[in-house]
Structure formats: C-alpha cells, structure tokens
Amino acid sequence: MEELAEVVAIEGNQITLVSQVKSSCSSCSQVDTCGSGQVAKAIPHKKLSFTLPFPQSLSADINQSIDIHVGDCVILSLPEGDVLQSAWQVYLLPLIGLFSFSALGQLLLNRKVLTHELMALLLGIVGGYLGYKLAKHLQNQPSNVVKLQPKILRILTKPIKIAAVEDEK
C-alpha cells in the first residue's frame, strides 16, 4: 500500500508528515446520484498528521544521503500482508470471542448450569471483550508495531514554478 504525504516539519531525527484522507466515493462516476457520495461530499476532507523517525537511507546503499526538505512530497509504503493480518485480528478476534462464549453460555443454559438467559448473554459479552483485549495485546507487540510503521519509499521534490523560471531570464 502506498500513500502520498507532504513533509511539514523536520526536527532533529524526527520528520512530521501530513497526508490527505481520501474517500473512495469522490472518484466514482455515480457520485451525484449515490447517497454515500453525497455524504462524502458533505463531510470535509480530513488530514492525517504523524511523526516518523528520519530515514537513514531509501535503498540498500547505506552511503546514500537523504535530502528531504519541508514542503517535499514523499511516497509512504506499508506492507499489504501486515495490514491485512492486523485487520483480521482487530475485526475477527472480538467476534470469535463473542460467538464462542455465547455458544458456551447457551450450552450452559441448556444444561441448567446457568439459571437465566441474561447470564448467557453476559458471558457472550465477556467473550467479545476478551477477544478485543487479545487483539489489542497482539497489536501492541513491539514486532507488530515495527511492521506497521510506514516507511518512506521515494521523495518527490517540489516542482519548479514557471514564474520563477521566467524571472531568471
């Protein structure tokens, strides 16, 4: 996955980037007749700001110097497989916990271990919460945090303004 971001600040070994959050609805040919497209038009586009460590190099050549300036655009990259793994953990683990603990609650209710359906319902909610906590724990593992850190793939310098070229003549 790649995303375009603009460098807004460089402080020490930290680089601050801003990326425009895009809606897929704005590029569709049915945007004027679709309800989702109308909602996407009404909500202002947001910007996402984040800070990354200053990259040491962009290629395998460690001796290559990085020349990034405020105002430059960069292409950020995230491995698609790591994003998908993170997404399934965040979405499916709470659901698996909810369904499995709900099934256990129903089984205990049928065997008369639990006396009321609300207890089985609460057991299902506890399972969903435990799935959420497990997903949160897995997402906060240092190895997972490093894998989901965006990396600068390429630097796109500012374009030369035509007025600046004409002034030099």
Side-chain angles (χ1 to χ4, degrees):
M1 294 177 47
E2 294 183 359
E3 182 68 34
L4 183 68
E6 181 182 356
V7 178
V8 293
I10 299 173
E11 297 173 3
N13 63 348
Q14 299 289 317
I15 183 167
T16 303
L17 304 164
V18 172
S19 176
Q20 184 81 25
V21 176
K22 298 178 203 117
S23 169
S24 61
C25 290
S26 60
S27 63
C28 177
S29 63
Q30 301 295 322
V31 70
D32 292 328
T33 59
C34 174
S36 296
Q38 296 300 319
V39 171
K41 278 188 191 177
I43 297 174
H45 296 288
K46 297 179 182 178
K47 292 187 177 191
L48 177 65
S49 177
F50 51 95
T51 303
L52 297 175
F54 196 87
Q56 299 302 317
S57 71
L58 297 179
S59 67
D61 182 13
I62 302 298
N63 296 327
Q64 174 189 8
S65 64
I66 303 294
D67 193 24
I68 299 178
H69 303 287
V70 173
D72 287 349
C73 288
V74 296
I75 304 289
L76 299 174
S77 173
L78 270 177
E80 208 166 296
D82 294 333
V83 173
L84 290 174
Q85 180 184 6
S86 178
W88 85 259
Q89 287 175 352
V90 168
Y91 288 110
L92 289 182
L93 286 177
L95 285 174
I96 290 170
L98 174 72
F99 290 150
S100 60
F101 275 65
S102 294
L104 176 66
Q106 189 64 35
L107 177 70
L108 293 176
L109 187 64
N110 288 342
R111 294 188 181 209
K112 308 274 191 244
V113 174
L114 297 178
T115 58
H116 199 274
E117 287 182 357
L118 282 178
M119 292 178 158
L121 177 68
L122 287 175
L123 193 60
I125 292 172
V126 166
Y129 179 74
L130 290 175
Y132 159 76
K133 291 301 277 185
L134 177 62
K136 186 175 180 181
H137 173 73
L138 291 174
Q139 293 303 307
N140 288 330
Q141 293 297 313
S143 62
N144 202 25
V145 170
V146 169
K147 287 191 301 188
L148 293 174
Q149 181 79 29
K151 291 170 184 52
I152 296 176
L153 198 59
R154 292 186 304 274
I155 302 169
L156 307 172
T157 57
K158 290 189 253 185
I160 301 173
K161 295 185 180 179
I162 295 174
V165 174
E166 290 176 359
D167 292 339
E168 291 179 7
K169 291 181 181 180

